[in-house]
Each structure stands twice: as C-alpha cells, then as structure tokens.
Amino acid sequence: MERSVDIAVVGAGFAGMYMIRRAQQLGLSIQVFEAGDDVGGTWYWNRYPGARCDVESVEYSYSFDDDLQQEWEWTERYSAQPEILKYAQHVADRFELRDHIQFETRVVSAHFNESSSTWTTKTDKGDVITSRFVVFATGCLSSANIPHFPGAETFSGSTYHTGQWPHEGVDFSGKRVGLIGTGSSAVQSIPIIAQEADHLTVFQRTASYAVPARNETIDHEYVKWVKANYKQFRDDNRQQSAAFGSTTPRGDKSALEVSREELWSDLESRWQRGGFGFLSGNTDFLLDERANELAADFVREKIAQIVKDPATASALMPQQILGCKRLIIDTGYFDTFNRDNVTLVSVKDHPIERITPNGLVTGGVEYEFDTLVYATGFDAMTGSLLKIDIRGRNGVTLADAWEAGPVTYLGLTTAGFPNMFMVSGPGSPSVLTNMIMSIEQHVEFITDCIVDMDKQSRTTIETTSESQSQWVHYVNAVADRTLYPSCNSWYLGANVPGKPRVFMPLIGFPGYVEKCNEVISNDYRGFQFA
Ligand code: N01
C-alpha cells in the first residue's frame, strides 16, 4: 500500500483504537498498523492462564462514549483477559474502527522528511505511508524480556513467554513445568498452571508482595449505582493519583500516628476487601520507610500464616520496599506453595547458570522439566519504540537521541522529532494509573493539538531540549519524594541488563493533567511551531 494520510499510528491496542475514534470525529484521515491479527494490544498478547486486570472492570474501560459504558456488561469485579479482549473487539465493531487498521503488519521504520515536513512509515509488508503526524501507540509493556541464558536453544521441551502466549492455549496436563519469575504475570499464572501440571518448579529471584484480589461475580447493585453516576464516578477517579479507586475508603493519617492494633485491624479489613485499596488506609506507605515496613510486616505475617512449610514461607517473604515494584493483586498465589506438586527454588544467591536440554542449572543443581515458561516481564516503556527505526531531524535515530535514557516532554513528544507523538510514553503517568484514563487524556491532547495547529495553519510542532530536560528533572524529582526509586524495578529499566536507569513513569495523574492544561492554555508552552 502507498498512500498519504493525516496520521499514521503504530499499534491497535486501547490507545490506537481511541486515536481512530477521535480522528473519525474530527475528520482526520488515519492509518493504523498492528502486528497482531486483531485489536486489543496487551490483552491480545497476554493470554497466559489467569491473566486478569488489577483495576476493577467498571473503571478499566473507556469513558468517551456514554452509550458504550451504559450498554457494556462486565461479569466479574476484575475482568479476565478474554472478557477485556471481547470488550476491545466490541468497541472496534461498534465504531467501525477496523476499516482503518491493517493487521498482521509490523512497522519497521518511520522517518521524518525535513523538506516536506512529513513522516514516511514503512512496514514489513512493503507498505509506504506518508503522513503529517506519526503516533506511537505501542504500549508500555509489549516488548517481551527474555533473559539470555546460555544453552537456551538446547532445551528440548516447549518454551513460552507469558506476554507472547499461543492463541490455542497450552495443555500442561502430565507435564513437569519450570517457570522463571515471580512478578505479576507469574503470580497470576502459577496457581492455574499448578492445578494442571504434573509438577511445577518456580524459580524466584526476588520475592513479591501480593495482596488478595477477592475477585467475584460483579455486584449488580454496585454496577447500577456506577452506571447511574458514571460521569461523576469518572471525574472522581480522575482526581485520584492513579486515576482509579475513588470509592475505596481512604485514611488521612500517617501509619506511624496510629497504634499497631489499629493499623493491623485496618490492614486486615483491607486485606479482606481485596485489591490496591490495601495501601489506601494511611498516607505514607509509599513515602516513609518506617511506615512501609509496617505494611510489609503485615504481608509477611500473612505469608507465614498461609504457607505451611516454614522454609518456603520464609523464601516467599519479600524484603524490599513494598510497592517500589508494582504491588500484585493475586488469587491463591501463596497457598499454591502448599501443594505437593509445587517447588520453589530461589535463584537469588545462585543465578540461573544455564539452560540444558532437560531443564536448567542453578547452584550447581540441574532441575528437570518438560515445559519452560518465562514470566520474565518486559523491556518496559521504551522497548517497543526502540525496536523501530525511528529517525527525526538530520536523520538522528531515536535510539541515539535516547542513548542515556528516554527524554520526553509530557511523556508525549521528544525534541528533534517534529509531529511525532507517543501515547503513554516515558515521562507520562501511564503504568502508575488506570491506563485507559491516561490513554484517553493523551489521545485527546494529541488530536486537539492537531486541530489547533490546523486552525492556525501551523505545519510542525516540536518540543525543545530545554523543555524536555526540565520535564525529565520534574518526573525524577516527583519520584524522589517517594520510595518508588528504591529498588531494581522495571519503572527504572533495572530489569533489562544494560538499560539506562531513569525513573520513567510520572507519579500522579491529576497533577499531570493540570500541567497539560496549563501547557495548552499558554499556547502550547514548551513547544515550537513552524
Ligand atoms: O514482569 P515483571 P511481569 N533470572 O518484570 C524475574 C503488568 N502486569 O510480566 O524481580 C531470574 O514484574 C524477575 O525477577 P526480579 C504490571 O504492571 C499487570 O510479571 O527482576 N529471574 C521477576 O520476578 C507488571 O508490573 C498485570 O529479581 C528473572 C520476573 O522475572 C508488569 O506488567 C498482570 C530474570 C519479571 O517480573 C510486568 O509484570 C501481569 C533472570 N535473569 C502484568 N529476569 C495485571 O494484573 C527476570 N526475572 C493487570
């Protein structure tokens, strides 16, 4: 295909899909390329057993169309991957979004042409698209991280990564399974794989904090109330730091101000309620190490109560700051280690040495299995962008521009790359929020900006090095006021060897929106137009 459009978009997840809806409404021509054979992004790829959202269904959904949010019926408090994918497909059908998407097509390059102020985007299918704007809606967690273990290619059984799960599913019955990792994907999949497999060996480098989801059939009375108040409900959520959880009871005291008895009683009721509200009872769990240690102690006590074998319980007790890696919402995770067919192997002090035809070796011991699951996460926030040959002014590649780490203004743009936007790029609140709320805000910023430019006959928009340096400084200063940067998380890029360490997400959705609104009302302060 060779054609010219207003906007070329990479990715047909929730961000790419909303880009199309806005373009339709604003009369802008748009072409989206998507590597998968359908919409859904994260929820298209992450089909591993147990995959489920950790934000409640009535919140993790588009707010842009009231009829859509009134008509769609969720079945569970937290939706499982198949239902979210069905929702994405419903939205695509309802708004005829697929007309603008070319599936099974990977974008290989996007180059800015200075003479025409246009972008040329090329795909692995030979398409060449010229556009005024290019938008990367590539997702924050879409580039699988598979560590390079010596001998990996010699393994004789089947190998899977949770983020690239086969559509036909995997039958674990009668299999000995080895699973590497204990992050969110592992914590969700381990209980299900353990039920199916003959034996499951979990290789853990860092123990994780997990609190119960208490997932259940959706409460229809609650849904009725939400639907009757959806606008207010969304507005209230947008006032929350993470853009969700407005109905969660919140405390306004420091955890250090209340007695241990009072604190334990509140944490217990939050543990029973389930979900991220666990950390909402006190103001300083993510600000003060002493407060954090109290919540961490509570979780460790729970692990000791749940896991019967003391050595396994002790190995499962995390020691790092609670929440500096994303808190995990689980269903039966710790209890799974009481099963006779599950073994926990710590690879903390003895990193995995090599993969063999029959399993893997750590601490000089070979563990044998038939199937290997990598639950080893993602090259988050930058991985998918840097896989594409993106070139801005003077042919400078994005990889070169970001050699020392990603630099953006508002998490949406980067200097030297005119008319290029990222949806939920590094420096945006993205992964620390309800992603769909952030996506809607970003897409509206981008499309409103294009309309404003057209009204004023402006051809290009570009941020400056100064604006983006200030923004990166701001993002890091906000993070430094919290405990978030205190451990080796993927927020910092620390999970991928050699990746520059920069705290990537901005903490606080309302503050971010306020900054964006200020930028717009000051004629796009921090940007230059031509
Ligand atoms: O990935 P992770 P994930 N040797 O990076 C281990 C979102 N998500 O896919 O902690 C041994 O968290 C690694 O160990 P360590 C959510 O935002 C959401 O689970 O680096 N182990 C870790 O245990 C989440 O945060 C949901 O020491 C190695 C694991 O692999 C994000 O996606 C569900 C290793 C990777 O954990 C990523 O989660 C799922 C090595 N060489 C995901 N390399 C929801 O509920 C890595 N590991 C919505």
Side-chain angles (χ1 to χ4, degrees):
M1 172 206 295
E2 277 204 38
R3 55 185 287 231
S4 185
V5 290
D6 291 317
I7 314 169
V9 178
V10 188
F14 281 108
M17 289 168 67
Y18 189 40
M19 274 301 304
I20 301 174
R21 182 66 193 141
R22 289 285 290 179
Q24 285 172 336
Q25 289 170 323
L26 298 168
L28 296 162
S29 56
I30 187 164
Q31 176 64 51
V32 178
F33 294 106
E34 164 58 49
D37 66 9
D38 205 352
V39 294
T42 288
W43 301 103
Y44 173 91
W45 298 104
N46 285 268
R47 296 168 188 243
Y48 60 83
R52 187 178 292 287
C53 192
D54 53 8
V55 176
E56 293 190 14
S57 314
V58 288
E59 299 176 295
Y60 192 83
S61 51
Y62 285 122
S63 71
F64 69 79
D65 186 283
D66 193 46
D67 290 343
L68 171 67
Q69 63 185 8
Q70 293 296 336
E71 78 200 6
W72 183 259
E73 299 290 348
W74 298 104
T75 64
E76 292 179 275
R77 177 179 175 190
Y78 297 97
S79 302
Q81 173 272 334
E83 190 164 71
I84 304 177
L85 185 58
K86 221 167 105 192
Y87 170 73
Q89 290 164 342
H90 168 75
V91 175
D93 292 340
R94 195 184 193 290
F95 298 104
E96 297 176 355
L97 305 183
R98 288 194 182 81
D99 296 351
H100 304 273
I101 309 170
Q102 185 173 320
F103 292 105
E104 296 181 83
T105 305
R106 204 170 266 287
V107 166
V108 291
S109 67
H111 293 179
F112 182 66
N113 319 304
E114 300 204 34
S115 53
S116 56
S117 294
T118 57
W119 282 86
T120 303
T121 299
K122 294 186 179 170
T123 76
D124 62 353
K125 296 285 174 355
D127 308 291
V128 182
I129 288 280
T130 307
S131 61
R132 293 196 290 143
F133 298 91
V134 66
V135 177
F136 292 94
T138 40
C140 297
L141 297 160
S142 46
S143 176
N145 169 43
I146 302 185
H148 298 290
F149 296 118
E153 67 294 344
T154 67
F155 182 63
S156 58
S158 312
T159 303
Y160 305 98
H161 184 280
T162 46
Q164 298 173 337
W165 207 255
H167 286 204
E168 61 282 11
V170 178
D171 182 5
F172 290 106
S173 50
K175 299 277 193 236
R176 295 166 305 161
V177 181
L179 184 147
I180 304 173
T182 49
S184 306
S185 305
V187 167
Q188 289 188 328
S189 55
I190 283 169
I192 317 272
I193 297 175
Q195 283 167 24
E196 282 181 24
D198 206 29
H199 192 90
L200 171 65
T201 308
V202 175
F203 297 93
Q204 169 186 275
R205 186 166 66 183
T206 309
S208 290
Y209 292 97
V211 302
R214 309 277 179 217
N215 184 42
E216 58 194 3
T217 305
I218 205 152
D219 174 345
H220 292 288
E221 282 308 305
Y222 178 60
V223 174
K224 224 162 116 185
W225 175 82
V226 169
K227 287 193 175 181
N229 298 283
Y230 236 138
K231 184 175 178 320
Q232 188 64 46
F233 180 72
R234 299 287 195 185
D235 287 348
D236 291 347
N237 276 333
R238 287 191 189 93
Q239 291 310 313
Q240 308 300 310
S241 176
F244 69 97
S246 61
T247 55
T248 302
R250 271 166 211 283
D252 55 5
K253 286 186 189 156
S254 155
L256 304 169
E257 269 180 69
V258 294
S259 69
R260 188 172 168 105
E261 202 182 17
E262 199 182 322
L263 181 64
W264 249 237
S265 152
D266 186 53
L267 287 173
E268 180 62 34
S269 70
R270 289 171 187 278
W271 181 273
Q272 293 307 333
R273 188 175 189 270
F276 281 121
F278 179 71
L279 286 180
S280 304
N282 298 87
T283 52
D284 50 357
F285 286 130
L286 291 168
L287 300 175
D288 185 307
E289 281 196 34
R290 292 163 306 159
N292 192 279
E293 185 63 11
L294 291 168
D297 264 348
F298 181 92
V299 177
R300 287 189 288 256
E301 273 183 29
K302 285 289 182 193
I303 297 171
Q305 287 162 14
I306 299 168
V307 181
K308 294 190 180 112
D309 173 50
T312 307
S314 167
L316 285 167
M317 287 179 196
Q319 302 303 327
Q320 72 274 16
I321 294 285
L322 186 159
C324 73
K325 291 188 177 191
R326 188 183 176 99
L327 181 63
I328 301 173
I329 308 302
D330 84 290
T331 300
Y333 173 64
F334 294 117
D335 199 28
T336 298
F337 292 90
N338 290 325
R339 295 178 66 102
D340 292 338
N341 71 334
V342 176
T343 310
L344 180 71
V345 175
S346 173
V347 296
K348 184 166 181 268
D349 299 324
H350 304 287
I352 294 166
E353 285 166 36
R354 61 183 190 281
I355 310 274
T356 66
N358 301 319
L360 66 76
V361 177
T362 165
V365 178
E366 181 172 15
Y367 293 86
E368 295 195 350
F369 39 80
D370 313 302
T371 303
L372 174 58
V373 177
Y374 288 96
T376 45
F378 302 91
D379 182 354
M381 302 196 80
T382 56
S384 297
L385 290 166
L386 295 176
K387 274 184 184 163
I388 303 169
D389 173 15
I390 301 173
R391 293 175 196 231
R393 283 198 193 283
N394 305 316
V396 172
T397 65
L398 188 65
D400 280 342
W402 287 6
E403 201 183 359
V407 277
T408 72
Y409 182 48
L410 305 176
L412 296 169
T413 59
T414 188
F417 295 78
N419 289 8
M420 175 184 121
F421 293 98
M422 294 158 277
V423 183
S424 62
S428 73
S430 57
V431 290
L432 293 176
T433 64
N434 173 357
M435 283 297 292
I436 300 191
M437 291 301 100
S438 282
I439 282 169
E440 287 188 337
Q441 189 273 349
H442 296 328
V443 167
E444 286 164 18
F445 182 101
I446 294 166
T447 47
D448 288 350
C449 171
I450 293 173
V451 170
D452 286 347
M453 284 173 66
D454 284 351
K455 275 189 201 147
Q456 298 182 48
S457 305
R458 288 166 158 174
T459 314
T460 59
I461 180 169
E462 187 178 356
T463 191
T464 62
S465 303
E466 196 193 358
S467 309
Q468 69 180 12
S469 300
Q470 285 170 1
W471 187 255
V472 173
H473 179 76
Y474 170 69
V475 171
N476 281 277
V478 173
D480 286 341
R481 291 202 289 267
T482 72
L483 299 174
Y484 275 105
S486 60
C487 65
N488 288 333
S489 67
W490 58 257
Y491 298 140
L492 274 165
N495 64 325
V496 176
K499 186 165 171 171
R501 293 197 182 197
V502 176
F503 194 83
M504 293 183 280
L506 171 70
I507 299 164
F509 183 74
Y512 174 79
V513 175
E514 203 181 307
K515 292 243 175 229
C516 287
N517 291 341
E518 270 170 34
V519 166
I520 296 168
S521 49
N522 286 287
D523 192 22
Y524 293 90
R525 189 179 58 208
F527 290 101
Q528 287 173 343
F529 292 97

